[in-house]
Amino acid sequence: MNILKRRECRRVAGAAGWLLVYGRRKVGKTFTLRNCARYDLYITVTRSGEALIGDDLWRLDEALREVVKTLKRGGSAVVDEFQRVPERYWDLVASAHPHGSLIISGSSFGMLRKIFDSRSPLLGLFDVYKMGLIKYADALAQLRDFQKAALWRDPWTISIVAHPREAEEKIYALYMSAMGLIGEVFTEEERTITKLYQVVLSALAEGEWNSAVVANYAAARGLDVTASTASAYLNRLVEMGLVEKIPIYGSKRSYHRISSTPLRLALYAEAKYHISEGRAPGPLPWGVELQFNIGELLAEAKGGQLAYLPHGDVDAVVITAEGAVGYEIKTGPISRQEARRAVEKIRRAGLPRAGLVSLAEEPPRDVADEAYGPQQLVEMAQSIFKTFTHGNFY
């Protein structure tokens, strides 16, 4: 079985007191908690409202009383899928505070709002930790493969696509799994996946990014949508962890993109090629996906923030305390002539520094302010990852 170590293991292994772990479905919360957290009792709340302890089904109230007993004697417990615990039991859980060590985990952002509501008996009892996709640096450090790292940082893809070259031939399986994931996210949020949400995600998959353009995209498909409505839907998708917002350089606006590479590739294939109708897929937008993943790596390595520039054809912008750097990111080699043109383009866009990145070979080093080839990028990822590998990894 392929398993990627992730930095969150150290966080949950060292958890003391009471901690709430939340994040989108299928990002590896349960696997991480089971393999990294220290606990005397682990319960999973089922969809039917019971509790699973080991292989045994318990009544939920009895299982929660067992949790309280464990905590009051100074032990540690995990309650997974806490969003399924009815609020009438929250006082029971709160009665054990501040004893023991308790981790509750859930996928519903509605649950998060309720816990931190002023009337909640759980308000103020928990530290909070958001778990998202595996960081690109962590995946690349272990895999040393740029495409595979982008795919496998969303763990549900590991069992579907063993190698990136399979992505196109298995795109329908990815698409069906992606739709199941999206449906599960909406189910946990007590919503149904509406046509508008599907259209918004399709717009993002095709490269649209702001609310006005998304609204026009929806209108062209027969939906009456304003920019403000599209903005509300985008914000909801960000909250659910399906979409991320990236600041636009020199602006107060944000660029919206589907946060998961395999999810974006699958939805792109459906929007572009209609694979659900049995049609063959064409080329997938690997170049754009790798640009954002490499941009994330560079931003983390520099302790900066990834930004986007919608004009000027700049692949990534990283903002640090020293200023902004624009990058040309190529999957293939960069010739000296191409390097000069790229640097001129970046500076014309108003960026003070220019960087070159090639995933194939080291680019010319004397043309730009920075230059990184594949080996330097992998070493960069490994250096970042090593800072998080102290502790109890599975």
Side-chain angles (χ1 to χ4, degrees), residues 99-115:
H99 303 289
S101 174
L102 174 63
I103 298 177
I104 65 173
S105 174
S107 307
S108 168
F109 295 87
M111 172 204 74
L112 193 68
R113 286 193 297 270
K114 289 177 182 178
I115 286 178

Side-chain angles (χ1 to χ4, degrees), residues 203-234:
L204 297 179
E206 290 204 64
E208 311 299 357
W209 57 271
N210 68 33
S211 55
V213 178
V214 169
N216 291 336
Y217 183 99
R221 285 151 182 79
L223 297 172
D224 185 14
V225 181
T226 65
S228 60
T229 301
S231 178
Y233 273 71
L234 287 168

Side-chain angles (χ1 to χ4, degrees), residues 13 16 59 67 71 81 85 102 234 242 249 269 300 333 370 376:
R59 279 177 38 186
V67 169
L71 296 172
E81 304 292 2
V85 175
L102 174 63
L234 287 168
L242 293 171
Y249 178 67
E300 187 169 18
E370 301 174 16
Q376 290 98 329

Side-chain angles (χ1 to χ4, degrees), residues 41-222:
L41 177 65
Y42 193 113
I43 81 168
T44 302
V45 183
T46 68
R47 294 181 188 276
S48 60
E50 297 170 300
L52 189 63
I53 302 178
D55 295 326
D56 299 322
L57 274 178
W58 289 47
R59 279 177 38 186
L60 182 57
D61 59 337
E62 293 177 348
L64 291 175
R65 287 190 179 91
E66 196 67 23
V67 169
V68 169
K69 289 178 186 177
T70 300
L71 296 172
K72 285 187 174 180
R73 63 173 178 258
S76 56
V78 175
V79 181
D80 201 359
E81 304 292 2
F82 189 84
Q83 75 275 3
R84 298 171 184 164
V85 175
E87 290 180 58
R88 65 180 179 272
Y89 293 124
W90 288 14
D91 282 297
L92 172 62
V93 175
S95 69
H97 192 269
H99 303 289
S101 174
L102 174 63
I103 298 177
I104 65 173
S105 174
S107 307
S108 168
F109 295 87
M111 172 204 74
L112 193 68
R113 286 193 297 270
K114 289 177 182 178
I115 286 178
F116 289 96
D117 184 88
S118 60
R119 296 163 294 181
S120 168
L122 300 176
L123 177 64
L125 305 188
F126 290 92
D127 190 9
V128 180
Y129 186 68
K130 182 177 181 179
M131 186 178 294
L133 302 174
I134 298 172
K135 293 293 186 181
Y136 187 67
D138 298 1
L140 181 60
Q142 296 167 82
L143 297 170
R144 302 175 63 89
D145 182 305
F146 297 104
Q147 289 182 307
K148 187 182 287 188
L151 278 174
W152 281 15
R153 57 185 304 209
D154 204 346
W156 61 269
T157 62
I158 293 175
S159 62
I160 300 174
V161 181
H163 192 278
R165 63 174 172 265
E166 298 178 351
E168 193 169 303
E169 68 182 74
K170 294 187 175 182
I171 194 64
Y172 184 68
L174 278 175
Y175 172 70
M176 294 303 295
S177 297
M179 293 307 293
L181 168 65
I182 293 168
E184 196 171 1
V185 169
F186 279 84
T187 298
E188 292 293 347
E189 292 295 315
E190 299 177 353
R191 289 174 177 261
T192 57
I193 181 166
T194 65
K195 177 67 173 176
L196 184 51
Y197 275 114
Q198 292 182 51
V199 169
V200 169
L201 288 169
S202 294
L204 297 179
E206 290 204 64
E208 311 299 357
W209 57 271
N210 68 33
S211 55
V213 178
V214 169
N216 291 336
Y217 183 99
R221 285 151 182 79

Side-chain angles (χ1 to χ4, degrees), residues 300-378:
E300 187 169 18
K302 293 174 168 293
Q305 181 181 39
L306 177 64
Y308 179 72
L309 195 62
H311 58 83
D313 193 25
V314 179
D315 294 331
V317 177
V318 174
I319 303 170
T320 68
E322 289 73 36
V325 186
Y327 291 94
E328 175 84 354
I329 301 173
K330 294 287 189 184
T331 57
I334 301 176
S335 68
R336 184 168 294 276
Q337 185 178 11
E338 289 173 325
R340 291 196 185 99
R341 286 200 300 264
V343 170
E344 290 172 5
K345 175 181 64 178
I346 290 167
R347 291 186 173 143
R348 280 199 307 270
L351 291 154
R353 292 176 59 81
L356 302 172
V357 178
S358 168
L359 307 189
E361 63 183 31
E362 188 174 339
R365 301 195 64 83
D366 58 346
V367 177
D369 300 293
E370 301 174 16
Y372 303 104
Q375 185 60 35
Q376 290 98 329
L377 293 171
V378 170

